[in-house]
Amino acid sequence: MFSRWLRWLVVAPVVLFVLGAILLSCGGGSSNNGYGSSYSGGGGGGGGRPPGFSLISIVIADGAPPSPTFTPTSTASDAPTPTKTPKAPTPTLTARPTALPTTILSIGPDAVPTGGTVAFNAIGTFVKPKQNKTKLIDITAGSFTLWTSSDNSVFQAPLSGPNGGIYTTGFAGCACILASSGGVSSQFVPIGVYTPVDICPACGPTPTASATPTATASPPGAVPASLSTPAASGRSTGVLMWAFDAGSELRGRIAAGIDGSIFFITRDGMLHGLNSKGKEILRRNADGSSPAVMPDGTVIAMTSGTTMAAIGADGGARWSLEIGDSAGPVAVTDSAIYASAGDDLVSVSSGGSLNWRVSVGRVNSAAATPDGLVVGTSRGAVTAIASDGGVLWTFQPEGGFSGSVAYADDVVYAGSAGGGVYAIDQRTGSPIWHVNSAHAVSAGPVVAASGAIFAGSDAVYRVTTAGQIQWQNLSLKPGDAGVTALGYDGVFDAAKGDVGAVLTGDGRSVWTARGFGRITTAASSPSGMLYIATSTGRIFAVR
């Protein structure tokens, strides 16, 4: 009797350990990269990615997701097998015809009223090369399947989850829809809403994933590209490259490195670092709201409420410095780190020594310049500070500063609580021009590499370098996450209603999506990758 109990005392812990390991391997991690190699979630209507398989193509078909057929995986036997449970039938899908250009009618038996829905489904082809196996899986409602529309006012993109693939009709016009996941895109499907699709412009070729370009370091004394304007790159097509679940909402901004890596701090007090493919490369305790990345890849963050540190690739601190109560760095150059500490602006050398501190008011926004930086403060002023700590000039916009500050080509751009955007001479602080908006600027201004200036107020505005409003879009009023300069001449607008939209410098809509959820912040890298963070702690990388 004693030996039997002893045997169970030894065996039971082993069994529990094995079961725990199996459960963790079935989705207990925090990383979820679409349908790539580390995907661990469900695929959608038909199930998750089979182990060892990779997604190679997506096809959009008409209608709701197909019902799988069930193929028996074992044959019946005359001999009884009481100790062995037969395997459940395996659901299988068959290829469906690719969706063709579609005209949505307003009259007739197939009419769809304004505000009505039209369903599509997405079938992913997964392969396991070594075994030469192929599977078709319904990914229509997958958590990491992104559905987009080129014009949300014509054909509104679906929400995520069970609403995947279900579009809503709007105004008469033309749109192109797309589904993507893990860097793989479906074909474009042209849609004519109450308009013959034959007269709609072509949607263009199917997007292909492109590698992240190798960035070069900035020359000494130059403002890093990631801190001024993004480098020229291909236009965003709305393809979801990967997704990562941090498990907690972000506290502040995403800091993007020139190599495609990103860093951010979550509300549970963790600093995360991801490489360009979405793999977590850094995780450690941190304080403050946002980190920053220096041109050499060093991450700057608060390790306590008053201590700033330089974090190496191994997560260890290269140096630390007490600077006072601070939310973290607001800007960096190749030789200096700037942080707001109470009402003081603090400058720290790249080696971790205090350069100077000057009282300017609490910094709400900052942009590096060739000779220091410019800040918008809680005192309502825009102030330029030289690299030696001297105050160069102070400018007070009408109604006080609002939104953010930006710098490009010797000009500082700033938003106004009284409405509109100011262009200010970076050397003298004299206003060059001012354009009005109906309400206070709540987002931007930001400047794309082409020189296009974007800002958000009662609408999203595009302003020329000469101070003329080129266009405004009242249907995409920016939300809390504001606007982000993207690529050569584009802008990402995290609009009200949980809509994410990319617009070009000439005002055309490239893509819109509603599958992210509530967007809390966004950033772009010099390579043109867009990073979107949501209230659930998910990070989406979209090219």
Side-chain angles (χ1 to χ4, degrees):
M1 176 68 75
F2 177 75
S3 62
R4 184 190 304 171
W5 282 108
L6 182 61
R7 190 181 307 118
W8 275 109
L9 287 173
V10 173
V11 172
V14 175
V15 172
L16 290 173
F17 174 80
V18 172
L19 287 174
I22 292 172
L23 288 172
L24 286 173
S25 68
C26 293
S30 61
S31 179
N32 198 325
N33 297 302
Y35 294 97
S37 59
S38 59
Y39 178 77
S40 59
R49 174 184 65 87
F53 282 73
S54 297
L55 178 65
I56 62 166
S57 67
I58 301 172
V59 171
I60 293 179
D62 293 317
S67 299
T69 57
F70 290 86
T71 303
T73 55
S74 61
T75 58
S77 172
D78 293 334
T81 54
T83 59
K84 194 173 183 179
T85 303
K87 292 183 179 179
T90 302
T92 59
L93 291 176
T94 56
R96 304 188 76 191
T98 300
L100 299 174
T102 301
T103 298
I104 309 298
L105 301 174
S106 59
I107 57 174
D110 297 324
V112 179
T114 301
T117 59
V118 181
F120 296 87
N121 64 88
I123 305 300
T125 300
F126 293 77
V127 298
K128 195 173 188 179
K130 290 184 179 180
Q131 282 76 26
N132 195 27
K133 293 182 178 180
T134 300
K135 288 182 179 290
L136 300 179
I137 297 179
D138 170 26
I139 63 170
T140 304
S143 299
F144 295 96
T145 298
L146 180 64
W147 291 88
T148 64
S149 167
S150 63
D151 194 329
N152 217 48
S153 65
V154 172
F155 209 44
Q156 189 176 59
L159 298 170
S160 61
N163 295 296
I166 301 176
Y167 285 78
T168 305
T169 58
F171 298 114
C174 302
C176 300
I177 68 171
L178 191 77
S180 65
S181 183
V184 179
S185 168
S186 71
Q187 82 281 15
F188 275 119
V189 179
I191 305 292
V193 177
Y194 316 138
T195 301
V197 73
D198 293 344
I199 67 172
C200 291
C203 293
T206 298
T208 56
S210 57
T212 300
T214 301
T216 56
S218 303
V223 179
S226 59
L227 299 174
S228 53
T229 54
S233 63
R235 181 166 291 162
S236 174
T237 54
V239 175
L240 178 62
M241 303 302 291
W242 52 259
F244 178 86
D245 190 346
S248 181
E249 184 178 353
L250 276 63
R251 285 181 178 173
R253 303 179 307 275
I254 297 172
I258 61 175
D259 61 352
S261 60
I262 61 170
F263 300 86
F264 51 90
I265 298 172
T266 47
R267 291 192 180 276
D268 57 0
M270 299 300 297
L271 169 64
H272 300 262
L274 310 179
N275 67 12
S276 60
K277 295 183 179 179
K279 180 181 179 181
E280 189 169 51
I281 55 175
L282 175 65
R283 180 189 286 221
R284 60 154 291 158
N285 293 328
D287 211 309
S289 60
S290 304
V293 186
M294 300 195 72
D296 65 358
T298 301
V299 180
I300 308 299
M302 301 299 292
T303 54
S304 75
T306 59
T307 305
M308 174 184 286
I311 311 298
D314 60 355
R318 296 180 180 175
W319 54 256
S320 61
L321 180 69
E322 288 286 329
I323 64 169
D325 185 36
S326 174
V330 295
V332 296
T333 65
D334 59 348
S335 59
I337 303 124
Y338 301 98
S340 180
D343 283 344
D344 291 346
L345 179 67
V346 176
S347 171
V348 178
S349 73
S350 57
S353 59
L354 181 66
N355 291 328
W356 46 260
R357 86 169 48 224
V358 60
S359 178
V360 294
R362 187 173 295 276
V363 174
N364 295 330
S365 178
T369 67
D371 185 39
L373 81 165
V374 60
V375 297
T377 73
S378 58
R379 296 175 182 173
V382 178
T383 302
I385 313 293
S387 57
D388 62 3
V391 176
L392 299 175
W393 50 260
T394 296
F395 176 79
Q396 190 86 17
E398 181 181 353
F401 163 75
S402 180
S404 62
V405 293
Y407 167 82
D409 300 326
D410 296 328
V411 179
V412 172
Y413 300 96
S416 164
V421 173
Y422 284 86
I424 308 163
D425 189 313
Q426 187 266 333
R427 294 161 296 188
T428 66
S430 300
I432 301 171
W433 50 255
H434 170 235
V435 294
N436 283 310
S437 61
H439 302 287
V441 170
S442 58
V446 296
V447 186
S450 64
I453 304 156
F454 301 95
S457 175
D458 56 311
V460 57
Y461 290 83
R462 198 290 203 189
V463 183
T464 69
T465 54
Q468 301 296 319
I469 295 177
Q470 184 167 343
W471 52 260
Q472 56 183 298
N473 189 320
L474 294 168
S475 67
L476 292 171
K477 181 178 179 180
D480 294 338
V483 293
T484 303
L486 182 64
Y488 181 68
D489 68 342
V491 64
F492 174 71
D493 179 8
K496 298 284 188 180
D498 299 338
V499 175
V502 169
L503 306 171
T504 62
D506 58 8
R508 289 180 294 118
S509 173
V510 180
W511 60 263
T512 59
R514 295 194 302 153
F516 301 114
R518 185 171 67 85
I519 301 171
T520 57
T521 188
S524 66
S525 71
S527 68
M529 188 76 80
L530 173 65
Y531 303 99
I532 300 167
T534 69
S535 59
T536 61
R538 284 179 174 173
I539 313 294
F540 297 89
V542 183
R543 186 177 291 285

